[in-house]
Amino acid sequence: MLFRNAYIENAKELADLRVENGRFAAIAPSLAPQPGEEVIDLGGKLVLPPFIESHVHLDTCLTAGDPVWNMSGTLFEGIECWSKRKDKLSRQDVRERVQRCVRLYAANGVQFIRTHVDVTDPKLTAMRALIELREELRDVMEIQIVAFPQEGILSYPNGKQLMIDAVNMGADAVGAIPHFEFTREYSVESLNFALELAAKHDKLVDVHCDEIDDEASRGLETVAARALELGLYDKVTASHTTAMHSYNNAYVLRLMRLLKMSRINFVANPLVNTHLQGRMDTYPKRRGVTRVKELTAEGINVSFGHDDIFDPWYPMGNGSLRDVVFVGLNVCQMMGYEDIMNSYRFISTNAAKTLHLCDRYGIAAGRPANFIVLDAQNYYDALNKNAPVLRSVRAGRTIAETKPAQTEIRF
Ligand code: 17E
Ligand code: FE2
C-alpha cells in the first residue's frame, strides 16, 4: 500500500510512504506504485507519528459530579470526591467509561496511552478491568498501566501489599504519591518502596511527585537519587512536579545536576495543574506548572499529558491533546517559532521516550506503520488553527477518519 504526498514531521518536501505487512517498507519522494498496489493520496498534508497520551487516569474519567462535584477545585477535594465514587466501581462501569475514552482518543490521533490506575481499593476493581482492556484494545490502542496509590502507600491500610498485588496482576509501572503521605518520613519510605519494587520486577516507574504548591515538598530529589542508585535511569518518570514551580532558584541549581545524572523523564499536565494549583494563593497566583522550559534547555526529557477527562479533578476534555500543547506553550512561555513548530514532540517523540516505546515508534523503514495525517502542512499551522486529525493509521490500517468542517463566509 502506498500513501503519497505527505509532509512528514514538518519537512519542506513531499514524500511517500510504502507500507507492507503492517510496517513501513520505504519512505522517499515519488515512489513508483508497484503493479496492483493500492494508492492513497494524502494531498500534501502533515504526517506525524501518532499522538501519545503520556499521563491520564482512565479509571476516573467521565465521573465528574458523580456523586459530588469538586467545589474548591483543589487536588485534595478531588481525592475526597473520587473516594466516594470509588465505592460504586464495578467491572462493567470501568469498562464502559474506558471504552468511551479510548474512542475519543482514537478520533484525535492518539494510539498510545499511559494510564494511572488507583490501587487504593481493597478489591482492585479498576486494575482488573484495565488489565482486561489492555489486551482487548491492543490492536487499536497500546495501553500502559501504572499501579497508582491515590491515597498513599504508607498512609492507606495495606497499601504496600496492594501495590505488590497490582504488580503481580500485570501492571507495567509502579507509582507513588509522596506529597499525600501523612509524614515526610512516610513520603521517603514510599518512594524507596516503589522504586525497589520496580527494580525487583523489572517495571517502569511513574510517580505523582510533589503535586502541591508547597516549596518544601521534595519527593523529586529522592526519586532522582534512587533512579540513579538503582540503575533505573530513564525507566523512571516524575509526573506533575508542580512544587518545582515554587522551589527557590538556588535549590533548583543544585537539583538540576542530580536530575541530569539520573536521566529521569518528566510529565507536565498544563491544563489540569493550572486549574488545580494556586488555589491557596490570592494575588499573584502561581501558574502551577513545572519548569518545562528550563528542564528542556538542560536536555531533560519532558512530555505533556491531559491527566483527566471530565472527572473530579478536571471538568473538561474530549480526547484531544491539542489544547494541552497550546496551554502548555502559553503557560511555560515557549512561543518562539521553533518552539511552536516542534511542540508536537511533547505529545509524540518525547512521550515515546517516557513510555519506552523504543523502535515500536517513529516514522522510519522497518517500524510499525503507525502515523496520523493532520489538516495542515506543518505543526505550527496545525496548532494555530486547531486542525483535525484527518486519518489515524495503525499497522497500515486506517482506524479513524475525520472530515474537516466547512465554513462559508457570506459577505
Ligand atoms: N490524582 C492525583 O493525585 N492527581 C491528579 N492530578 C489526578 C488524580 C488527576
Ligand atoms: Fe495525574
Side-chain angles (χ1 to χ4, degrees), residues 55-57 59-60 75-76 78-79 82 116 118 148-151 176-177 179-180 208-209 211 240 269 272-273 276-277 306-309 311-314:
H55 187 121
V56 70
H57 301 250
D59 58 337
T60 66
L75 166 67
F76 292 87
I79 295 173
W82 171 243
H116 299 259
D118 184 4
F148 169 54
Q150 177 68 81
E151 297 184 52
I177 185 163
H179 52 280
F180 191 79
H208 275 64
C209 197
E211 190 185 9
H240 297 291
N269 299 287
V272 169
N273 284 126
L276 295 176
Q277 308 311 131
H306 204 299
D307 203 9
D308 304 276
I309 296 181
D311 74 4
W313 296 276
Y314 197 67

Side-chain angles (χ1 to χ4, degrees), residues 77-356:
E77 186 174 333
I79 295 173
E80 275 177 55
C81 297
W82 171 243
S83 182
K84 295 192 176 85
R85 180 60 174 77
K86 234 189 305 195
D87 295 338
K88 299 202 288 178
L89 282 178
S90 71
R91 171 173 174 266
Q92 206 45 43
D93 157 51
V94 178
R95 286 179 62 84
E96 196 260 325
R97 288 184 291 105
V98 172
Q99 281 163 336
R100 273 163 62 201
C101 282
V102 164
R103 296 172 82 82
L104 289 174
Y105 277 121
N108 289 286
V110 173
Q111 293 188 17
F112 302 82
I113 297 176
R114 174 176 282 184
T115 179
H116 299 259
V117 178
D118 184 4
V119 298
T120 52
D121 163 14
K123 298 203 199 89
L124 294 174
T125 303
M127 179 56 72
R128 276 178 230 284
L130 255 306
I131 282 176
E132 261 177 40
L133 288 163
R134 182 179 61 187
E135 288 311 308
E136 288 173 29
L137 295 166
R138 192 174 280 284
D139 290 344
V140 290
M141 190 70 73
E142 181 170 330
I143 298 177
Q144 214 173 71
I145 298 172
V146 184
F148 169 54
Q150 177 68 81
E151 297 184 52
I153 298 177
L154 278 290
S155 313
Y156 186 79
N158 211 23
K160 284 187 177 175
Q161 190 57 47
L162 288 165
M163 293 291 289
I164 293 167
D165 291 348
V167 165
N168 288 334
M169 281 168 65
D172 303 289
V174 178
I177 185 163
H179 52 280
F180 191 79
E181 300 286 353
F182 292 149
T183 67
R184 196 196 59 82
E185 288 76 11
Y186 280 9
S187 152
V188 173
E189 188 182 337
S190 73
L191 292 171
N192 289 339
F193 170 82
L195 274 86
E196 280 163 18
L197 183 63
K200 181 169 165 207
H201 294 269
D202 194 23
K203 300 290 181 186
L204 301 170
V205 174
D206 194 331
V207 174
H208 275 64
C209 197
D210 307 315
E211 190 185 9
I212 190 164
D213 295 320
D214 174 7
E215 70 285 356
S217 184
R218 293 185 173 184
L220 179 56
E221 61 183 23
T222 302
V223 170
R226 290 300 99 78
L228 176 68
E229 291 159 1
L230 292 166
L232 291 169
Y233 298 112
D234 60 350
K235 287 183 179 165
V236 176
T237 296
S239 281
H240 297 291
T241 61
T242 60
M244 198 203 274
H245 190 101
S246 299
Y247 289 164
N248 68 72
N249 290 338
Y251 175 65
V252 171
L253 186 72
R254 183 267 264 188
L255 180 63
M256 208 53 103
R257 172 172 176 266
L258 170 63
L259 297 180
K260 281 192 280 190
M261 289 166 72
S262 73
R263 311 206 298 255
I264 65 170
N265 307 291
F266 285 76
V267 182
N269 299 287
L271 287 180
V272 169
N273 284 126
T274 49
H275 167 67
L276 295 176
Q277 308 311 131
R279 292 284 176 162
M280 304 300 131
D281 294 354
T282 52
Y283 286 94
K285 276 188 207 288
R286 284 169 281 185
R287 297 176 183 210
V289 177
T290 195
R291 301 192 187 198
V292 177
K293 190 175 194 167
E294 293 74 14
L295 290 166
T296 301
E298 294 286 354
I300 293 169
N301 185 48
V302 184
S303 66
F304 286 167
H306 204 299
D307 203 9
D308 304 276
I309 296 181
F310 191 73
D311 74 4
W313 296 276
Y314 197 67
M316 301 253 169
N318 61 1
S320 168
L321 297 180
R322 184 267 179 181
D323 292 351
V324 174
V325 175
F326 187 76
V327 170
L329 295 186
N330 278 273
V331 168
C332 300
Q333 298 184 328
M334 298 180 78
M335 301 281 269
Y337 179 80
E338 292 295 327
D339 290 334
I340 296 172
M341 189 63 100
N342 292 323
S343 58
Y344 68 93
R345 293 178 188 166
F346 285 117
I347 53 168
S348 60
T349 43
N350 295 7
K353 280 189 208 151
T354 297
L355 269 68
H356 268 248

Side-chain angles (χ1 to χ4, degrees), residues 1 3 19 22 111 139-140 369 392-400:
M1 186 184 289
F3 293 91
V19 174
Q111 293 188 17
D139 290 344
V140 290
S392 179
V393 178
R394 187 160 172 91
R397 180 168 79 97
T398 297
I399 60 165

